[in-house]
Each structure stands twice: as C-alpha cells, then as structure tokens.
Amino acid sequence: MTAKKLFLFGMFLLCQVIFAQQDTIVNLKEVIISDTQLKNFSGTQSVLVLTDSVIKKNQPSLTNLLSYNSLIYFKENGLGMVSSPSFRGTTAQQTAVIWNGININSQLNGQTDFNTITTRDFDNITVRAGGGSSIYGSSALGGTVHLNSELRFANQFQNEWQLNYGSFETFGAHYKTMISNGTWSTQISVTHNSSKNDYKYLDTQKHNENGQFENTSLNASLGYRFSKNHYLKYYSQIFDSDRHFSGTIGAVSKSKYRDYNYRNLVEWDWLIGKVTSKLKVAFLGEKYAYFENAHTHNFETSKTETALAKQDFVYQLTPSMLVNTIFEYTQTKGIGSQIGTNTRHIGAATILLKQSVFKSFSYEISGRKEVTSSYASPFLFSFGTKHPLGSHYTLVTNFSRNFRMPTFNDLYWVGLGNPNLKPESSYQGEIGQQLKFKNIAISGTVYYQKIEDLIQWKPNNSGNWSPSNIAKATTYGAEVLCNWNKKIRNHGFDFNANYGYTVSKDDFSNKQLVYVPFHKFNSSLAYSFHKITLNYQYLFTGYVFTSSDNTHVLEEYQVSNLGINYDFGKATTYKLGFQVANLWNKNYQSVSQRPMPGRNFNLYLIFNF
C-alpha cells in the first residue's frame, strides 16, 4: 500500500483545561492562522474551540472527538466505518468542513466522512454553530467544523512522539516536529492508524467481520516572514486510506474502499497601512476506488481535481470598523466510471463588515453571490448583533441565508443525474445568551431554520432512482454549553457539559427526519494532582427514527470512557496513559443493525523533547 511507504519515508525524514470551550476565539490571536474570517466574524454565533490538549485525550478520529465534546450527532456504520454528521438537525451534506479557511467537503457526494480526518494533525479544531454560507459557501447550513494549523515565528525546536496500542489489534503512531525562529516557521506531522477491528457483537456469538482498516496522513505547514507585515505560507495535507466495510448483524460484507485525498494551499500576506492583502491559491484532489468484493480486482472509481484562487482584502477603516472583501474563482473537474467527465466553474464575491457602535453594541454583516452555469445560486447573507450588558452577561443574535449546491453525483450520474437541480437553501435565526464569571461560563442558544428544495434520491416513473428538489424541512431547538474550572493548591478540576434539544421535521409529513435524536448530552470531568490526571467522559444520545414514517426506532444509549495518565520529567516529558472506552460495556448502535464495540482498552505513550 502507498500509505505504508509514505509512513516509513516520513518517519525517516522527520527523525533527522482538558478543554477550551469558549464562545469567543480570543486565544487564536496569539498565533498566525489562515482562517482569519473565523477569528474576525464569529462574534455573534456560538463557537467551540477544542485545543491540542483536548485532542490528545481523545481517540484520533474526528468522529470520536466531536461526539464527546460537541453537540454534533454522528451516524457511524460501525467503528472506523463511514461516519456522517447531523448538526442542528441537518443532513450530512449540510455541515461544512473547513481546512485552513478552505471548504473541503467532497465534490462527489457533498459531505465529509469524519472518520477520514485524523485530529492529531491539527493544532486546534473549532466548531462554529449556525449558518456560514455567506463566508464559506456550500453546505454551511447546520454549522462548520474548522481544522486549523498554526504558525509561530519564535525561537523553538519541539518534537512529539505518540504511540498507542489497544483492543482489536489497534495501533497508532504520530510524530510532529516544530522548528522556527523569527524568520522561518515549520510544522510537519505524520500519523498512521490501523486496526484489525474484529470486535465481538455483544449478546451474540458474532464478530465484526471484514472491518479492518489502516490510514496514513502527512501534514505540513511552512511560513517565511519577509518583514513584520509580509508573509509567505504553505499548507499541505495528504490522507491515504484502505478500509474494508463491515456488514450488519445479519449480513457479512466483502467490500472495501480506498480513498486518497490531497490538499495544497499557498498564501501570500501583505499588510500595507490599514489594508491587509491575502492571496490564496489552492489545489485539492479526492479519489476513491470501491471494491464490491475485496478479493477481486474489479472496482468502481471516481475522482475530482479542484483549483482555487482567492483574493482577500481586509480594511481597518476606523479603530471600530473592519471591512473584508473576498473574490474567488474555483474550477473542479470530475472524472469517474459513473459521472463521466465534467467540469464546473464558480466565481464568487463576498463582503463582510464588523463595527462596534459603542461599548454595549456591535454588529457583523456579510453578503455573498456566486456565479456559475451549473445551478442558479441565491444571494447569501448574514446579520448578527452582540450586546454586552454588564461585565458578566452578553446577548447575541444572528439571522442568515445559506445553501448547498448539487454535487457531481447529483448532477452527472450516468443515466440518473439531474442537471436541472436547484441548490438547497435555508433561512436561519438564532438568539444566544452568554454568562461568564471567574471560573464558570454558561451559554444558551435557541434557533429556528426553514430549509427548501431538499435534494432527495427517489424512484422515478421508470423505477430508477434519481435526484430531485422535492422536500422541505423545519429544524429548531436549544443548546446549552457549560464550562467550570478550579485550581485549589495542587488540585485541578475541569468540568464541561453540553446539552442539545433538536426537532427536525419534514414539512410534508410532519415527521421527525431519520437519524436525528431529540436529545443529546455529553460531559467530561478531569481531576489533576501534581503529575497525575484522571478524566471521565459521558455521552447520552436519545432514540432516533430509522424510517421516514417514524415507525422504526433505534433505542437511546449511554456510553462512558475513563482515562488516566502520568507525566514524567520536566523539560523532556514522558506521558504514559491508559484509557477504557465504553466503560460499562453497553450494547449500542448508532446505525441500525451495526453494533459498536463493547468495553475496550487503549495504552498510549507521549514523548516530548
């Protein structure tokens, strides 16, 4: 496999608070990131930042990290299999994943498989709830998930090794190096994960057959500072995966799926007076091969290649007013056994404005228009306000229009695609309250969203499945996020809790959409004493309907994890940790007929030098 060679080469080359949950992103100002819109234009929405320390305490998949630390619900076809999100009751195609400011949702199926993102490659992962299409384009209806790499221009040389081994012959290795001075900044990481993944289905005599997987990722961030106000930056990521698809309780699968993704971004930043210019050029690619029988050489394949140019101007008009204009052009070419050869061109213009009118009132406004021959794009906008009322209480509001464009599969699937599809679109409003004291922060948000022209694949008059704009949906709900931390001499405490209530109904049938739980709750408690840290995680997911007529139900489940680690050393540290997942050995499923593992174990070692 190519990934093995890449991993070995990378190792050779490179060897020459549990949690920060906040509704602001002030901590991002200490370092240089590419996604400046996340920093500058998220003050009127709920923003959750998961720092490097949180990432290390969770399993390496993005699914696991967000399941236990956010309100996004995941429909996972077994451990390590395809993982689809539902954010505020929306579909998997209506959550956008943003890599260093670039939307990386698949051009083929419109979504991101969250089990193909390795979290340890990133310095922080940010969850921005609510509409974001006026900034990030397609799919940002439920919210956006941001994968951020940081560059620091300071004298440093740091290295980190992380090794882990656990149940089902699960192995993971991660190496990261950071080298920088006042002129150069370099960060490179390599991660490899593999598992036989043959866990036993609880209360049966069966095992998870044909579930083995392995993947390798290489991530690089490079920066050069010509002067205090002049930078050249480069970001790159490669992900290579070979994953067999396990079956259900009643049917064994023989299939497997290979996917290869690459992302490259060059950015040139220049500050001239009160104007900052950011020129970005990106090249993205995705390719898959699906084998219905892993023991044969017959497979179905498709790929897309995307080129993007983006000019970003930021104007500091006054100390209290910031204006940001963005002009971008994207070309995507799709080639595949089922989609033929097709090319899509998209031009877009965006304007954003932020102003503090006075101390107790500020607002953010944005508008975006896309031009393409592939579909009729609506005008997208967002308007939000922020009202600090005293030193502890803040009221925020936001109203936006968002959309999701049809995918290559929707438009061009041979004999079945529909070139006349319209984009899905939505109007969304939300009101949030934030309460902060010295050691505790609580935020609450209520939201309402109307979604039109939902794209669904259904049988046509000929009996063949094809997509059309036939559905409307309404989603509404409430979210509460809480963080408390306290230091008492040598004793440290961190507690976090998130609760979400979600209603997501088909407007025609008035039925709850499938695989959208009414209730989700998670919490974590960490206790530290000197060099020992003990942490406990809890997840409750309410029942979901698995049929559109709401006659079939998948039961609610509760899962807990327990972890402990000890930190050796001072300047050079060795951290040894042990984790127990599904502590109480619960039998549960997030997708019908696809059981998740029972109690399992993981031992890890982190070496910093």
Side-chain angles (χ1 to χ4, degrees):
M1 179 182 167
T2 304
K4 292 181 178 178
K5 296 178 181 178
L6 175 64
F7 179 70
L8 294 174
F9 173 76
M11 290 293 99
F12 173 78
L13 176 66
L14 293 174
C15 288
Q16 290 272 327
V17 220
I18 184 174
F19 176 83
Q21 176 175 296
Q22 306 174 6
D23 44 61
T24 63
I25 43 179
V26 175
N27 56 325
L28 297 183
K29 295 181 180 180
E30 301 172 358
V31 296
I32 295 176
I33 64 172
S34 181
D35 191 356
T36 53
Q37 282 76 39
L38 174 65
K39 179 177 68 174
N40 293 331
F41 295 96
S42 296
T44 65
Q45 292 177 256
S46 175
V47 175
L48 170 69
V49 182
L50 303 176
T51 63
D52 181 61
S53 61
V54 182
I55 293 171
K56 290 176 183 177
K57 289 183 173 68
N58 287 266
Q59 298 297 318
S61 75
L62 188 57
T63 298
N64 184 275
L65 176 71
L66 297 183
S67 290
Y68 287 94
N69 296 280
S70 80
L71 289 175
I72 302 176
Y73 166 74
F74 288 93
K75 184 176 66 172
E76 191 174 11
N77 294 347
L79 182 66
M81 302 295 103
V82 174
S83 177
S84 304
S86 176
F87 201 164
R88 288 188 169 180
T90 60
T91 67
Q93 293 86 0
Q94 294 169 349
T95 296
V97 177
I98 312 299
W99 172 75
N100 292 308
I102 303 296
N103 190 323
I104 62 170
N105 274 30
S106 171
Q107 297 291 323
L108 294 170
N109 61 25
Q111 69 180 78
T112 294
D113 180 350
F114 279 60
N115 276 337
T116 64
I117 302 293
T118 304
T119 58
R120 290 166 186 163
D121 289 334
F122 304 100
D123 296 293
N124 72 73
I125 294 173
T126 302
V127 179
R128 185 180 189 267
S133 288
S134 62
I135 301 177
Y136 299 107
S138 178
S139 299
L141 282 76
T144 51
V145 176
H146 300 255
L147 314 174
N148 299 312
S149 299
E150 300 172 351
L151 289 171
R152 295 179 174 87
F153 289 90
N155 291 322
Q156 68 171 346
F157 177 57
Q158 298 179 10
N159 298 274
E160 179 183 276
W161 267 103
Q162 181 167 347
L163 298 171
N164 62 273
Y165 185 80
S167 302
F168 327 124
E169 298 184 30
T170 300
F171 170 77
H174 170 74
Y175 177 74
K176 182 177 186 178
T177 184
M178 294 176 287
I179 308 170
S180 66
N181 55 30
T183 304
W184 285 93
S185 181
T186 302
Q187 180 174 289
I188 301 175
S189 64
V190 179
T191 304
H192 181 78
N193 297 292
S194 65
S195 178
K196 192 174 180 181
N197 203 26
D198 57 346
Y199 56 89
K200 184 180 183 296
Y201 294 162
L202 294 180
D203 303 323
T204 74
Q205 299 301 315
K206 298 181 179 181
H207 287 76
N208 189 53
E209 298 183 39
N210 196 56
Q212 63 268 34
F213 63 84
E214 62 176 319
N215 57 69
T216 301
S217 61
L218 174 63
N219 201 66
S221 303
L222 310 173
Y224 181 76
R225 182 161 66 176
F226 297 97
S227 66
K228 182 180 179 180
N229 300 322
H230 191 189
Y231 297 87
L232 183 65
K233 297 179 285 186
Y234 171 69
Y235 302 92
S236 180
Q237 186 188 34
I238 297 173
F239 180 84
D240 192 3
S241 171
D242 190 338
R243 177 172 47 165
H244 289 238
F245 282 168
S246 59
T248 64
I249 293 178
V252 176
S253 169
K254 297 181 179 180
S255 64
K256 78 170 182 176
Y257 192 86
R258 288 179 179 171
D259 59 312
Y260 178 79
N261 299 279
Y262 65 85
R263 303 171 185 117
N264 294 283
L265 169 64
V266 178
E267 180 178 332
W268 180 27
D269 299 349
W270 203 334
L271 174 62
I272 306 172
K274 295 182 178 181
V275 179
T276 301
S277 169
K278 290 176 173 286
L279 176 61
K280 298 182 179 182
V281 178
F283 297 94
L284 316 173
E286 59 175 309
K287 181 180 180 179
Y288 79 86
Y290 173 72
F291 297 76
E292 187 172 355
N293 187 334
H295 303 293
T296 69
H297 297 289
N298 299 320
F299 59 90
E300 171 191 308
T301 184
S302 290
K303 68 175 183 178
T304 65
E305 299 170 343
T306 299
L308 179 147
K310 185 176 183 179
Q311 178 62 67
D312 187 332
F313 292 107
V314 180
Y315 311 86
Q316 189 72 56
L317 295 184
T318 70
S320 62
M321 182 181 291
L322 187 72
V323 177
N324 190 176
T325 60
I326 304 170
F327 304 94
E328 58 187 289
Y329 171 77
T330 305
Q331 174 185 288
T332 301
K333 183 178 183 180
I335 304 172
S337 52
Q338 297 295 337
I339 61 171
T341 300
N342 289 278
T343 302
R344 177 160 61 190
H345 305 267
I346 302 173
T350 304
I351 184 168
L352 305 99
L353 170 66
K354 178 173 72 172
Q355 183 180 19
S356 296
V357 181
F358 38 83
K359 187 176 180 180
S360 61
F361 178 77
S362 62
Y363 69 89
E364 298 175 2
I365 187 170
S366 61
R368 177 187 177 96
K369 179 61 179 176
E370 296 188 355
V371 178
T372 177
S373 60
S374 300
Y375 53 85
S377 176
F379 176 73
L380 309 169
F381 64 85
S382 175
F383 177 74
T385 63
K386 186 173 184 178
H387 311 262
L389 303 175
S391 58
H392 301 296
Y393 177 80
T394 301
L395 176 69
V396 296
T397 66
N398 189 272
F399 181 70
S400 62
R401 187 181 189 188
N402 309 281
F403 90 124
R404 179 182 82 85
M405 64 183 177
T407 67
F408 272 68
N409 288 353
D410 294 331
L411 295 170
Y412 307 123
W413 196 271
V414 176
L416 301 176
N418 182 355
N420 299 314
L421 287 171
K422 296 183 290 184
E424 300 175 346
S425 66
S426 78
Y427 290 95
Q428 180 172 176
E430 61 182 88
I431 300 174
Q433 301 180 78
Q434 304 161 3
L435 192 63
K436 286 186 177 181
F437 295 96
K438 182 179 180 180
N439 300 112
I440 189 169
I442 301 174
S443 67
T445 304
V446 293
Y447 61 88
Y448 184 89
Q449 181 170 206
K450 292 287 291 186
I451 306 174
E452 296 183 344
D453 296 319
L454 279 169
I455 299 172
Q456 292 187 348
W457 285 70
K458 288 193 172 183
N460 56 27
N461 294 332
S462 302
N464 297 317
W465 287 72
S466 63
S468 57
N469 300 101
I470 59 174
K472 296 181 180 181
T474 299
T475 70
Y476 58 89
E479 301 167 341
V480 178
L481 286 70
C482 176
N483 169 237
W484 173 81
N485 60 79
K486 184 72 174 179
K487 182 76 173 180
I488 305 175
R489 295 184 180 179
N490 295 320
H491 303 271
F493 301 88
D494 265 297
F495 174 75
N496 300 280
N498 307 308
Y499 169 74
Y501 171 72
T502 306
V503 176
S504 183
K505 290 188 175 182
D506 181 288
D507 285 358
F508 177 75
S509 66
N510 200 34
K511 301 292 187 180
Q512 180 85 343
L513 296 183
V514 298
Y515 287 103
V516 177
F518 288 103
H519 305 280
K520 179 180 177 180
F521 173 80
N522 57 45
S523 64
S524 64
L525 175 64
Y527 166 73
S528 60
F529 178 72
H530 291 294
K531 297 183 178 182
I532 297 177
T533 300
L534 181 69
N535 60 280
Y536 178 82
Q537 294 178 317
Y538 171 80
L539 169 65
F540 169 82
T541 300
Y543 70 88
V544 297
F545 295 109
T546 61
S547 60
S548 58
D549 61 1
N550 289 182
T551 57
H552 295 83
V553 176
L554 188 61
E555 294 180 355
E556 64 189 39
Y557 58 85
Q558 304 177 62
V559 186
S560 298
N561 303 325
L562 182 67
I564 186 171
N565 65 68
Y566 185 85
D567 198 349
F568 300 84
K570 294 182 179 180
T572 300
T573 63
Y574 312 80
K575 183 177 290 186
L576 182 64
F578 182 71
Q579 297 171 323
V580 183
N582 195 357
L583 178 66
W584 309 114
N585 203 35
K586 295 290 186 178
N587 185 357
Y588 73 101
Q589 302 171 16
S590 65
V591 174
S592 180
Q593 299 297 305
R594 295 180 181 271
M596 298 295 287
R599 185 185 297 115
N600 60 96
F601 308 95
N602 180 54
L603 179 69
Y604 65 89
L605 173 66
I606 302 176
F607 178 35
N608 293 291
F609 60 98

